[in-house]
Amino acid sequence: MSKTVHFFLNLLFIACSFSAVFSQNPKIKTSLISHSAIDADEFSGYDSFGYWYQIKNNVFSKIKGKEVFEYKNVSLGQITKVDLQNPLKIVLFYEDFNTVVLLDNQLNKITEINFSLNNTPIVASAIGMSTQNQLWIYNALNQQISLFDYLKNEYKTVSTPLIESIKYYQTDFNTFYWIDKKNNWFSCDIFGKTTSLGKVSDFDKIEIINNHQYLYKNANLLYFKDITSTNSNAFSEIEILEKSFDKFCYKDQILSIFTAKEITNYKIVTP
């Protein structure tokens, strides 16, 4: 075989390898549903009743048309995390004060939990609503995922200590998902079963759909990824109008894009 042929074969091999690693599926089309003007520092999400939730000047609001509910608690500092899984029992996490506030559907306070007062030492750095009057907690003191029954004031550890620090986390009633600083993706269920779900793409923002699909933002482009795809390296860009945006939310095939001035809602069907 001549050196020239050998050289071009090597080039072809490298090109094919590069293409396999960075392969991309056809773009995912979206259908524009609505634009809504917004005056907020952060868009927190929306519920199935048509309300959206936002934070402005550390005031948490629930809005639909002219109907507005508000909650503020200046003594607890900045709101770190909002959990809207149960619109009748909304979770606000104030990490600086190691405290959670539960709100009803009119944003009246149901209860306030200061973990620093608990008999078991807890420094919460991740919080989410779980099942049966329980909260997910990642306790930074022992680096373990736990469940806390806020009615019985009972705390139980469900995971072994995490090896790497958490870069991103997301919860549903039955599962605590997290991505560590090396982009490794894991889940832990309420019984403590921990599963490695693979490695995620580099991201600026990310939202987990389920245990094998996620959306992520990278360099102001939005992508969909399914790790069970035949080509595990493949991803699909999602077509949106915005050239830059602050946050996105996905729920029930509705994709919401939040900028400093408005929320845009798209209908999207993921593969």
Side-chain angles (χ1 to χ4, degrees):
M1 182 183 297
S2 70
K3 290 183 178 180
T4 303
V5 173
H6 190 265
F7 173 75
F8 280 109
L9 285 175
N10 281 337
L11 275 183
L12 181 62
F13 175 77
I14 292 170
C16 291
S17 299
F18 187 86
S19 175
V21 172
F22 294 99
S23 59
Q24 183 174 353
N25 291 331
K27 290 185 178 181
I28 295 176
K29 304 288 186 181
T30 58
S31 301
L32 180 63
I33 298 174
S34 64
H35 286 294
S36 300
I38 188 172
D39 180 23
D41 299 322
E42 183 177 339
F43 174 57
S44 301
Y46 52 91
D47 63 26
S48 54
F49 302 105
Y51 292 91
W52 83 61
Y53 300 81
Q54 66 178 49
I55 300 170
K56 175 73 173 180
N57 297 325
N58 208 36
V59 176
F60 179 63
S61 303
K62 173 181 178 177
I63 302 168
K64 183 169 72 172
K66 295 182 178 179
E67 194 175 6
V68 179
F69 301 97
E70 293 185 341
Y71 176 81
K72 61 180 178 180
N73 193 325
V74 295
S75 64
L76 293 177
Q78 296 293 313
I79 300 169
T80 308
K81 182 83 170 181
V82 177
D83 189 315
L84 301 171
Q85 286 186 85
N86 183 352
L88 305 179
K89 203 170 288 183
I90 297 165
V91 181
L92 300 187
F93 177 37
Y94 296 85
E95 186 173 0
D96 289 345
F97 283 78
N98 204 26
T99 296
V100 159
V101 174
L102 301 183
L103 306 175
D104 67 15
N105 64 335
Q106 295 186 335
L107 304 194
N108 299 305
K109 183 167 72 174
I110 299 171
T111 187
E112 182 176 316
I113 306 158
N114 184 344
F115 296 115
S116 299
L117 302 177
N118 196 266
N119 293 330
T120 302
I122 300 172
V123 174
S125 60
I127 288 288
M129 179 62 76
S130 185
T131 59
Q132 300 174 334
N133 302 313
Q134 296 183 112
L135 294 169
W136 288 107
I137 297 176
Y138 175 68
N139 189 348
L141 289 179
N142 59 13
Q143 298 179 313
Q144 291 177 288
I145 298 165
S146 310
L147 289 168
F148 180 80
D149 189 315
Y150 51 84
L151 293 183
K152 298 178 181 177
N153 198 35
E154 291 179 353
Y155 171 87
K156 64 179 180 181
T157 297
V158 296
S159 80
T160 57
L162 274 56
I163 298 172
E164 300 286 350
S165 59
I166 293 177
K167 179 179 179 180
Y168 172 82
Y169 75 93
Q170 188 176 316
T171 63
D172 59 35
F173 292 123
N174 296 304
T175 312
F176 185 107
Y177 295 102
W178 77 95
I179 297 166
D180 69 21
K181 65 180 182 181
K182 294 182 177 178
N183 279 7
N184 297 306
W185 180 17
F186 300 92
S187 68
C188 178
D189 67 18
I190 56 175
F191 304 107
K193 180 183 177 183
T194 299
T195 305
S196 174
L197 301 174
K199 208 175 186 75
V200 303
S201 305
D202 287 333
F203 62 91
D204 301 319
K205 305 279 185 182
I206 193 166
E207 184 164 328
I208 295 166
I209 300 175
N210 50 45
N211 64 1
H212 60 93
Q213 295 177 323
Y214 59 92
L215 304 178
Y216 67 101
K217 173 190 175 187
N218 193 357
N220 276 320
L221 294 175
L222 192 59
Y223 301 97
F224 167 83
K225 179 75 178 285
D226 188 335
I227 63 172
T228 62
S229 170
T230 305
N231 181 357
S232 60
N233 293 310
F235 56 89
S236 300
E237 183 182 340
I238 299 170
E239 290 190 339
I240 56 175
L241 299 173
E242 289 75 15
K243 301 303 180 186
S244 66
F245 56 98
D246 301 320
K247 185 176 180 180
F248 66 91
C249 292
Y250 173 81
K251 182 178 180 182
D252 300 330
Q253 297 186 334
I254 303 297
L255 174 67
S256 296
I257 304 295
F258 170 64
T259 69
K261 296 182 179 180
E262 66 180 8
I263 303 170
T264 304
N265 294 310
Y266 296 94
K267 176 71 174 180
I268 176 176
V269 179
T270 55

